[in-house]
Amino acid sequence: MTLTTAAIPHKPTDGFAGWATGLVETLGGPGAGLAIALENLFPPLPSEVILPLTGFAAGQGVLSLPSALFWTTLGSVVGAVALYWIGMLLGRERMHAIWAKLPLVKASDLERTEKWFAEHGTKAVFFGRMVPVFRSLVSVPAGVERMPLSTFLMLTALGSLIWNSVLVMAGYWLGDQWDVVETYVGVLSKAVLVLAVVGLVAFVTVRLRGRDRARNRRTP
């Protein structure tokens, strides 16, 4: 493996994009892989910046396209496995103990979630790798439910390769307009967050109303 120190023309120099550019310039493919591994562990770090920027760097000859795809996919798998192990260490018993202390939730909610994951976990891990925010979070329940590691690795690698390829190739083809990808994928990320917040608000509202009705029935 040969590390590159080539410079990226028209590169961003500040903010998160500047940091990611520095990693790719200094370490080449491994730098892009490191950035993506960190993005998996800390979802606020945007893959919609790292991946197109890596594709742009590949188009400028800083690293090869196969190297860009290999290292970013490896980084995705490494980050996902770290979260998977966190889920395994947490375990079902500890998860149930934590869940029991949370307000507005019932043990049956967690049991239904576990049942759903047992039936649909493979699809959730595979397709979840292509959904912003969720692509990181899905690794934890996979670990809690002790999905076979070989299955988890295969699904994570395949799903990540598809997601990474789309964004890396977009940056490769768009050239110094790679940041257009960030705009569109950023909208998708915000839409996912909005839907999650709406779902959470709806859940809390239903539970509070149910609690009020139960209290009213007990009041003479």
Side-chain angles (χ1 to χ4, degrees), residues 1 28-34 36 63 66-76:
M1 179 185 68
L34 175 60
I36 285 296
L63 70 167
S67 176
L69 295 175
F70 171 79
W71 284 106
T72 54
T73 300
L74 179 61
S76 295

Side-chain angles (χ1 to χ4, degrees), residues 44-57:
L45 298 179
S47 63
E48 61 266 26
V49 171
I50 302 168
L51 294 170
L53 183 57
T54 301
F56 172 49

Side-chain angles (χ1 to χ4, degrees), residues 100-152:
K101 297 177 182 178
L102 297 176
L104 303 177
V105 296
K106 302 176 182 177
S108 58
D109 294 328
L110 183 55
E111 291 167 1
R112 282 195 297 269
T113 301
E114 291 173 336
K115 182 180 179 181
W116 182 91
F117 198 87
E119 295 174 355
H120 306 287
T122 53
K123 294 191 287 289
V125 170
F126 176 71
F127 290 107
R129 301 305 308 170
M130 305 173 221
V131 180
V133 182
F134 188 73
R135 62 195 304 269
S136 295
L137 302 179
V138 72
S139 301
V140 177
V144 171
E145 295 302 316
R146 295 183 179 267
M147 174 182 283
L149 183 58
S150 59
T151 301
F152 177 78

